[in-house]
Amino acid sequence: MFREVTKNKNREKTIWHIPLTKFKDDKSNSLGNILNKKDINEYKVDNKPLEQQDTKQFTIKDIYDIIVKTNELTHKETNTSIQKEIFKKNVRIVEMEPSSFCNRKCSFCANSFIDRTSQNIEMPEDIFIKLLEELKDINYSNTFSLNRYNEPLANREFILKRIKMVKDYIPNAKIGLFTNGDYLNKTYVRDLESAGLSYMHISFYLKDNEKFDKENIIHKRMCEVFNKINIRKYYQDISTDTEYILKAKHKKMLIIYRALNFEEAAFDKGGTIKEFRTLERSEPCFQLFNQFYIDYNGNVMICAHVRSDVLEHTPYSIGNIKDNSIFEIFTGEKASEFRRVLALRGNEKMPPCKTCQVYKYSLFEDLYTVFSKKFL
């Protein structure tokens, strides 16, 4: 394996992604030399700058950048400035649960056996503000989503206030939420856009015994909902055997209406939905490398499908925003260790991830996906 020695930390970091078994000889040797160069841009191969070195779909410098990023994300960082830098350049989605309540008990969700209907527990406002202040400190400008396993639109006054707070603290962020659409009407849509919501993802649900019929059931009912909320212009974005999506805009707010065929593309939610446990994960997962998930109680979880109110998932919290900064949590030892295990597939060590197929639809950078498929 190649190893990089980081002098300022006086420790050796193993890069397990290498030796790139399909990427041997001259280019492999080039990578070995690159690792010790102070200025990567000065290094040349075949008399061409690294940026021009085409290794099928990406350059040697691209691979080097991946190695550096992987090192940063799989080793604990204690320097506050570096923690913030790592968070800012890697985290593309902060998904947080402002409250716990959901009005549905869908069979494909752990809410079917976890009580989310009898009470509503809100994240304390001071903790919510602490989160926003930390994101403001780094001028966070990527996606901020106000949902996990809650129904964010159940309390109108509350969610509008929270959206406005996010907009005030991190005005450059893309603010969004996922909703079942049950509480929507045309004035609510107007108020969400006015509050600063960038996008709204509406989930479509088939009734019992209904089939994934795009023309006669899904499209027709989606159009009825759009008419109800006074959206007259919309277009078909995706139509496959596994999903159907209509998109529309209300002023500056994007609306995505999506139906998923659970007979073809359902996830087992960290192993909690037994009937969806069909395949064993065979690829690395990089969700924890660029996404940050916060439950209503402040617990930060390793991915969107693992939640702190499911008993078997509780060991997979990487911290709590009440106790530590988001930067300490993201670059801490627990997060780093989980990333090492996930990148190495690690099914035995992480049972909730054993039968997960989410990696196939990961939002991680395309370059990382290509890299893992070719060389891991």
Side-chain angles (χ1 to χ4, degrees):
M1 289 188 178
F2 291 123
R3 295 177 184 273
E4 180 185 12
V5 178
T6 308
K7 294 180 180 178
N8 64 331
K9 295 182 182 178
N10 193 30
R11 58 189 164 106
E12 189 180 66
K13 295 179 175 180
T14 301
I15 305 165
W16 64 89
H17 292 86
I18 315 300
L20 303 174
T21 54
K22 300 178 185 177
F23 197 54
K24 294 180 179 178
D25 304 326
D26 59 325
K27 291 183 175 63
S28 193
N29 290 331
S30 298
L31 269 172
N33 293 328
I34 289 169
L35 291 175
N36 292 320
K37 290 290 178 181
K38 291 182 179 179
D39 186 352
I40 185 66
N41 294 308
E42 291 180 2
Y43 192 83
K44 296 184 179 182
V45 181
D46 301 331
N47 298 317
K48 295 180 182 179
L50 283 173
E51 288 81 352
Q52 299 175 21
Q53 294 299 314
D54 182 16
T55 59
K56 295 186 178 178
Q57 296 190 36
F58 48 89
T59 68
I60 291 177
K61 182 179 182 299
D62 291 330
I63 300 172
Y64 175 82
D65 290 342
I66 289 174
I67 292 169
V68 171
K69 176 183 287 190
T70 303
N71 267 342
E72 288 179 339
L73 292 171
T74 55
H75 293 83
K76 179 181 178 180
E77 180 56 63
T78 57
N79 181 288
T80 303
S81 296
I82 298 176
Q83 288 173 347
K84 292 179 180 180
E85 178 185 333
I86 291 173
F87 189 101
K88 182 177 175 63
K89 72 181 180 182
N90 286 289
V91 175
R92 294 168 58 185
I93 299 174
V94 173
E95 182 176 292
M96 64 81 57
E97 210 169 34
S99 58
S100 66
F101 177 79
C102 184
N103 61 310
R104 287 182 176 243
K105 285 181 170 289
C106 301
S107 61
F108 52 82
C109 174
N111 284 355
S112 59
F113 61 88
I114 297 291
D115 180 16
R116 287 292 190 102
T117 60
S118 63
Q119 61 178 330
N120 183 35
I121 305 171
E122 297 176 357
M123 177 181 285
E125 187 165 299
D126 60 325
I127 302 302
F128 185 68
I129 290 173
K130 175 181 179 291
L131 167 65
L132 295 181
E133 286 177 337
E134 290 172 357
L135 292 170
K136 179 181 179 180
D137 191 34
I138 59 168
N139 189 26
Y140 180 77
S141 58
N142 289 323
T143 297
F144 187 96
S145 189
L146 289 147
N147 61 272
R148 289 261 297 140
Y149 290 91
N150 61 314
E151 170 45 52
L153 301 187
N155 185 328
R156 182 171 179 156
E157 182 180 349
F158 174 79
I159 196 62
L160 291 174
K161 179 181 178 181
R162 289 292 183 262
I163 293 169
K164 291 174 183 177
M165 291 172 70
V166 177
K167 190 67 175 177
D168 287 343
Y169 277 89
I170 44 175
N172 296 319
K174 294 173 279 294
I175 309 168
L177 55 78
F178 281 57
T179 175
N180 57 34
D182 292 349
Y183 297 90
L184 282 174
N185 56 45
K186 61 182 180 181
T187 58
Y188 206 166
V189 171
R190 179 198 64 199
D191 291 346
L192 288 166
E193 193 277 336
S194 298
L197 198 66
S198 308
Y199 73 88
M200 175 171 59
H201 183 296
I202 308 172
S203 297
F204 180 92
Y205 302 99
L206 290 167
K207 297 177 182 178
D208 291 343
N209 301 319
E210 282 186 335
K211 296 296 183 182
F212 192 77
D213 184 335
K214 292 178 286 186
E215 182 178 350
N216 298 310
I217 296 177
I218 298 171
H219 182 84
K220 181 180 178 181
R221 202 178 302 157
M222 283 183 172
C223 292
E224 290 173 356
V225 171
F226 274 138
N227 287 332
K228 171 189 169 184
I229 61 177
N230 202 32
I231 300 296
R232 305 303 182 193
K233 294 182 180 180
Y234 41 86
Y235 63 93
Q236 179 182 298
D237 183 57
I238 293 176
S239 178
T240 69
D241 291 337
T242 57
E243 65 179 334
Y244 185 78
I245 294 178
L246 294 183
K247 285 186 177 180
K249 289 202 77 173
H250 174 71
K251 297 183 179 179
K252 295 181 180 180
M253 182 175 70
L254 175 66
I255 302 174
I256 305 155
Y257 205 164
R258 181 184 187 227
L260 187 65
N261 184 354
F262 288 104
E263 292 184 359
E264 301 291 334
F267 307 130
D268 69 1
K269 303 294 183 183
T272 59
I273 310 300
K274 311 299 191 245
E275 56 267 36
F276 294 153
R277 290 182 181 177
T278 56
L279 299 171
E280 183 162 324
R281 183 169 67 96
S282 58
E283 300 287 345
C285 179
F286 297 106
Q287 291 233 336
L288 185 53
F289 282 65
N290 72 340
Q291 301 173 38
F292 199 75
Y293 300 98
I294 311 168
D295 284 351
Y296 66 90
N297 53 20
N299 282 324
V300 181
M301 308 307 291
I302 60 170
C303 90
H305 297 271
V306 176
R307 46 192 283 182
S308 58
D309 58 355
V310 171
L311 183 61
E312 54 263 47
H313 289 177
T314 52
Y316 303 98
S317 169
I318 58 174
N320 192 298
I321 62 170
K322 298 176 185 176
D323 306 319
N324 298 97
S325 74
I326 57 176
F327 314 117
E328 290 172 312
I329 295 169
F330 187 72
T331 61
E333 182 57 42
K334 280 192 87 171
S336 299
E337 173 60 22
F338 280 135
R339 291 188 191 107
R340 288 193 289 270
V341 173
L342 287 167
L344 288 168
R345 301 174 184 88
N347 292 344
E348 293 76 17
K349 292 184 179 180
M350 299 185 64
C353 308
K354 187 173 184 178
T355 52
C356 181
Q357 302 298 303
V358 175
Y359 67 84
K360 293 181 179 179
Y361 311 93
S362 174
L363 297 176
F364 204 69
E365 295 152 44
D366 292 340
L367 189 60
Y368 229 134
T369 303
V370 171
F371 181 74
S372 66
K373 286 185 180 296
K374 282 184 177 293
F375 306 123
L376 286 183

